[in-house]
Amino acid sequence: MTEAVEPTRRPPGTPCWASLMVHGLGSTEAFYGDLFGWEYVPGPEPFGPYVRALLGGQEVAGIGEMPPDRHLPVAWTTYFATDDADATAETIRSCGGTVAVGPLDAGSAGRVAICSDPLGAIFGLWQAGDHIRTQLSGVPGTPVWNELVTQDTSTVGKFYEHVFGHEARSHDAAGADFDYLTLVLDDRPVAAVHGVGRSLPHDRGPHWMTYFEVADADAAAVQVQLLGGRIVQPPREALTGRLVTVADPEGAVLTLLQSRPGDVV
């Protein structure tokens, strides 16, 4: 199913963009171009080399290059829409989160901040200006879901409820050992929080995972390896379809989702 998102601002609290900061912009462009069929246009420029990935002329994600002297973890960042980045940043601070960068103007494109929740998971804020961010969904190569992987859901579930107005719905029917919340806005699921306890990867800590739609999860897993990436978790069945968690050549982890027909998130 192809769904072109109307060129309007996303409702506040909705994931609206996925962005990746890397050390080698050109090689990363080539990897995702081969994997997803992305093409690229430059900008916005205020924060250094940056490109916007396009599918069919529609923006789907962004990739930037870190300054040579920065040695930050390479990871995909989920951005949430806000109508007022400064006010949301203040709410984040008052709820026990951290605002590490910004809010700053990204030229005329919008206003941006990089934040973390009380357990340390990093996410972004995006107040749209000229660029409304992800404009296409539901086709291979597009972000399709965002899920927070953390120690437990109790603390951070309340944090995201307070900051973004989410309703955090539990899944009691799934069993007491399944610690999972769906974050809902206007009765529509927009993201999730998965508490994994001591199973949290020691080398990553709490983190937001970006899911990208693919036509064939098994074939995509093979392609990732041929392109220089690696398999983190092999292909497996889930409620929403077939998943495979992979890392790109610089180590950024993402999940590829082959949705069941009619079940594209």
Side-chain angles (χ1 to χ4, degrees):
M1 182 181 81
T2 302
E3 178 186 346
V5 176
E6 292 296 325
T8 57
R9 293 175 184 267
R10 294 294 183 90
T14 304
C16 64
W17 190 242
S19 187
L20 175 65
M21 296 299 293
V22 298
H23 301 291
L25 183 56
S27 58
T28 302
E29 286 182 68
F31 173 84
Y32 287 101
D34 289 339
L35 181 62
F36 292 142
W38 287 353
E39 298 177 338
Y40 302 95
V41 293
E45 295 292 343
F47 306 123
Y50 191 87
V51 296
R52 287 166 283 148
L54 307 180
L55 271 177
Q58 301 292 312
E59 296 181 15
V60 294
I63 306 173
E65 187 169 83
M66 299 183 202
D69 59 344
R70 299 295 294 274
H71 300 285
L72 300 173
V74 177
W76 280 96
T77 300
T78 297
Y79 284 75
F80 290 89
T82 176
D83 287 339
D84 188 333
D86 295 84
T88 304
E90 283 303 314
T91 302
I92 287 167
R93 293 187 185 99
S94 68
C95 290
T98 301
V99 180
V101 178
L104 300 170
D105 286 328
S108 63
R111 195 157 171 79
V112 64
I114 303 296
C115 312
S116 61
D117 66 29
L119 295 184
I122 294 171
F123 62 93
L125 300 178
W126 182 255
Q127 178 184 335
D130 292 344
H131 291 289
I132 59 161
R133 292 329 209 184
T134 303
Q135 299 171 339
L136 187 71
S137 64
V139 297
T142 61
V144 69
W145 187 241
N146 296 271
E147 185 171 288
L148 173 62
V149 182
T150 189
Q151 288 97 329
D152 66 83
T153 63
S154 57
T155 300
V156 290
K158 294 174 183 175
F159 170 83
Y160 289 98
E161 282 187 314
H162 286 303
V163 171
F164 294 118
H166 296 146
E167 177 193 350
R169 295 182 182 175
S170 61
H171 293 254
D172 297 332
D177 295 334
F178 189 59
D179 187 13
Y180 193 91
L181 297 174
T182 300
L183 301 180
V184 177
L185 280 175
D186 296 327
D187 210 35
R188 184 173 74 89
V190 296
V193 183
H194 189 187
V196 298
R198 294 182 180 180
S199 299
L200 188 72
H202 294 295
D203 59 341
R204 299 195 65 201
H207 58 276
W208 277 93
M209 175 74 74
T210 305
Y211 288 62
F212 290 87
E213 185 71 28
V214 292
D216 185 323
D218 296 83
V222 172
Q223 189 178 16
V224 164
Q225 295 176 93
L226 292 174
L227 294 172
R230 62 183 174 87
I231 305 300
V232 177
Q233 289 181 275
R236 59 204 185 275
E237 293 296 327
L239 293 175
T240 53
R242 191 158 176 82
L243 307 175
V244 57
T245 302
V246 303
D248 69 20
E250 286 209 19
V253 178
L254 59 152
T255 294
L256 309 180
L257 170 63
Q258 177 188 343
S259 297
R260 292 190 180 90
D263 284 347
V264 174
V265 177

